[in-house]
Amino acid sequence: APTAPVDRPGSYVLQVGSYRKFEEADRVRAQLALQGIESRVQPVSIDNDTMHRVRVGPITNLEELNRVRDRLREAEMDFLVIREATSPR
């Protein structure tokens, strides 16, 4: 079932996957590029292992964020919506 559009202002990142092998993450990044979606592979250390996250964003425009979410759903790609923390002023 489709999820409701994001309507809370902020900065968001869409995580399209997390992989042990860089090659797998890079393949997903290339698939996103074919969909016209710019992404990056972000290495992160977890315990004694390195994972490679495929991320889109940050995106602050809610209309753009929801448009990218729709395109990922149409491509049948799983993803997480992550709202970035804002720093106190």
Side-chain angles (χ1 to χ4, degrees), residues 29-38 71-72 74-75 77:
R29 186 199 55 74
Q31 288 176 330
L32 290 169
L34 291 174
Q35 297 289 325
I37 300 171
E38 187 177 331
R71 289 171 66 192
L72 290 171
E74 289 169 8
M77 299 184 90

Side-chain angles (χ1 to χ4, degrees), residues 20 44-51:
R20 289 190 188 282
V44 62
S45 294
I46 300 173
D47 296 326
N48 293 327
D49 204 1
T50 298
M51 299 298 288

Side-chain angles (χ1 to χ4, degrees), residues 17-86:
S18 185
Y19 305 89
R20 289 190 188 282
K21 295 183 180 180
F22 172 81
E23 294 78 13
E24 292 176 32
D26 195 47
R27 180 182 51 77
V28 172
R29 186 199 55 74
Q31 288 176 330
L32 290 169
L34 291 174
Q35 297 289 325
I37 300 171
E38 187 177 331
S39 63
R40 70 187 187 288
V41 175
Q42 177 189 53
V44 62
S45 294
I46 300 173
D47 296 326
N48 293 327
D49 204 1
T50 298
M51 299 298 288
H52 303 276
R53 295 174 175 165
V54 181
R55 291 190 155 192
V56 177
I59 303 171
T60 56
N61 179 303
L62 294 180
E63 188 175 306
E64 179 186 353
L65 173 67
N66 289 307
R67 186 172 39 250
V68 173
R69 290 174 66 220
D70 290 343
R71 289 171 66 192
L72 290 171
R73 271 199 233 52
E74 289 169 8
E76 298 182 358
M77 299 184 90
D78 292 328
F79 60 92
L80 297 172
V81 178
I82 302 166
R83 187 171 194 269
E84 295 185 318
T86 56

